[in-house]
Amino acid sequence: MSRDLRGYWGAEPVPCWPNGARLAVSFVVNIEEGAELSIAAGDERNESRYEAVEEVKGAPDPCMESHFGYGPRQGYQRIVDALAAHNAKASFSTCGRAAEATPWLIRDAVARGHEVSCHGWRWETHAGMAEAHEREIIARTHASIARIARVAPVGWHTRSATSPQTRDLLKEHGGFSYDSNAYDDDIPYMDGTHVVLPYAFDTNDMRFSPGGGFVQARDFSDYVIAGFDRLYAEGGKAARMMSIGLHTRIIGRPARIGALEAVLTHITAHKDVWIAPRRDIAACWAKHHGDAE
């Protein structure tokens, strides 16, 4: 598998975002609740990581399921309220099994004008997965979310680790225009006619997890705002995109939601910023750069 370590070095594309925007901002809300590994759901083991790291082995773990349950029960509403207050549309990156467990949530997100994209069937990596099995998972996830959301998804993001054939299988499926299985740039790029929208783990509420570096709400907002300010400044000369990762069970907590509100207030106070779902960012990039490679 070849690697491109050069990218756009020395010849970065100029901004191409709508209305002369100098920065595209993508809020990604990860919907994983109901798709975490659970013996009670028939999985081979239980999920081991939440606010503490502990795995119950050989028996169901109602405690872990309860941790994940906070997202749809409380956190989701706080997040969509914060986005709505700033007229910001997000991409809800959704596991197929999570969509099956919370169809009301998925349909509510669509009704609010947000994108629903694919985040695998279970909340799991695809590293080492057999090609036939991965092909079936991709098809199953796409079909499930299309049925529940009543809008066919066009984006994909695998939890952390992909297999070497993941992107080829997404192209083979035919229903995907982009994936976010990359962390190597602040700008989209083309893989043939397929758009790659790099994601980010630093500007991500996952860093509230043990050892992740965020403790107070301001740790998140200060860090994300610093990233935004730098990319906004650079966006005057070169195309820039910023990804901000959210989870309903994490940033949706009472002591943390203020951080998202602070980030939204800061970003929307700036002119020439395009907050958009990833499907729109991918479509814009393909329109302007689809024949560049």
Side-chain angles (χ1 to χ4, degrees), residues 55-128:
E55 180 180 352
V56 174
K57 297 181 179 180
D61 186 359
C63 183
M64 184 61 74
E65 292 180 350
S66 181
H67 280 306
F68 275 77
Y70 188 88
R73 290 170 67 96
Q74 288 289 347
Y76 170 80
Q77 191 64 54
R78 292 191 180 111
I79 290 173
V80 293
D81 284 350
L83 293 169
H86 295 274
N87 194 29
K89 305 305 180 187
S91 295
F92 281 68
S93 184
T94 305
C95 295
R97 199 167 77 179
E100 296 286 349
T102 58
W104 56 268
L105 185 153
I106 302 307
R107 289 173 186 151
D108 182 75
V110 171
R112 293 172 181 270
H114 300 297
E115 173 191 13
V116 178
S117 58
C118 296
H119 194 26
W121 178 252
R122 301 190 305 184
W123 188 48
E124 62 181 348
T125 70
H126 284 201

Side-chain angles (χ1 to χ4, degrees), residues 1-277:
M1 184 177 179
S2 63
R3 297 175 64 193
D4 177 7
L5 298 180
R6 188 173 183 85
Y8 291 113
W9 181 263
E12 289 196 305
V14 298
C16 64
W17 309 126
N19 301 315
R22 59 196 295 162
L23 179 62
V25 176
S26 165
F27 287 92
V28 178
V29 184
N30 294 278
I31 305 298
E32 300 153 349
E33 295 78 11
E36 74 277 9
L37 297 180
S38 168
I39 288 176
D43 296 326
E44 65 276 13
R45 63 180 178 85
N46 290 314
E47 183 57 49
S48 61
R49 187 175 184 87
Y50 182 60
E51 305 250 355
V53 180
E54 181 177 0
E55 180 180 352
V56 174
K57 297 181 179 180
D61 186 359
C63 183
M64 184 61 74
E65 292 180 350
S66 181
H67 280 306
F68 275 77
Y70 188 88
R73 290 170 67 96
Q74 288 289 347
Y76 170 80
Q77 191 64 54
R78 292 191 180 111
I79 290 173
V80 293
D81 284 350
L83 293 169
H86 295 274
N87 194 29
K89 305 305 180 187
S91 295
F92 281 68
S93 184
T94 305
C95 295
R97 199 167 77 179
E100 296 286 349
T102 58
W104 56 268
L105 185 153
I106 302 307
R107 289 173 186 151
D108 182 75
V110 171
R112 293 172 181 270
H114 300 297
E115 173 191 13
V116 178
S117 58
C118 296
H119 194 26
W121 178 252
R122 301 190 305 184
W123 188 48
E124 62 181 348
T125 70
H126 284 201
M129 191 175 284
E131 181 174 325
H133 182 49
E134 187 174 16
R135 179 182 289 109
E136 190 234 339
I137 282 177
I138 289 171
R140 182 183 187 189
T141 304
H142 188 277
S144 176
I145 291 177
R147 173 176 52 80
I148 292 169
R150 298 170 183 151
V151 179
V154 297
W156 180 279
H157 180 221
T158 309
R159 178 188 176 182
S160 300
T162 63
S163 76
Q165 70 265 1
T166 300
R167 186 162 294 143
D168 287 339
L169 291 176
L170 294 173
K171 294 178 183 179
E172 174 189 297
H173 180 276
F176 298 96
S177 60
Y178 78 87
D179 75 70
S180 299
N181 295 330
Y183 309 86
D184 54 1
D185 218 324
D186 297 311
I187 186 172
Y189 52 90
M190 302 299 301
D191 185 345
T193 60
H194 186 83
V195 184
V196 180
L197 295 184
Y199 191 49
F201 278 0
D202 64 324
T203 49
N204 194 308
D205 69 1
M206 64 185 284
R207 295 185 60 203
F208 282 111
S209 298
F214 291 166
V215 178
Q216 301 295 333
R218 65 177 176 270
D219 296 334
F220 175 88
S221 56
D222 286 354
Y223 189 93
V224 173
I225 287 170
F228 169 84
D229 287 348
R230 170 60 63 134
L231 292 173
Y232 184 82
E234 293 180 358
K237 295 181 179 180
R240 287 291 183 264
M241 181 189 80
M242 182 177 193
S243 296
I244 301 172
L246 309 170
H247 300 74
T248 59
R249 65 187 181 276
I250 301 179
I251 202 70
R253 288 280 176 175
R256 296 172 180 159
I257 191 64
L260 175 59
E261 294 168 341
V263 166
L264 284 161
T265 297
H266 183 83
I267 290 175
T268 55
H270 288 70
K271 296 180 180 179
D272 302 328
V273 176
W274 184 39
I275 301 175

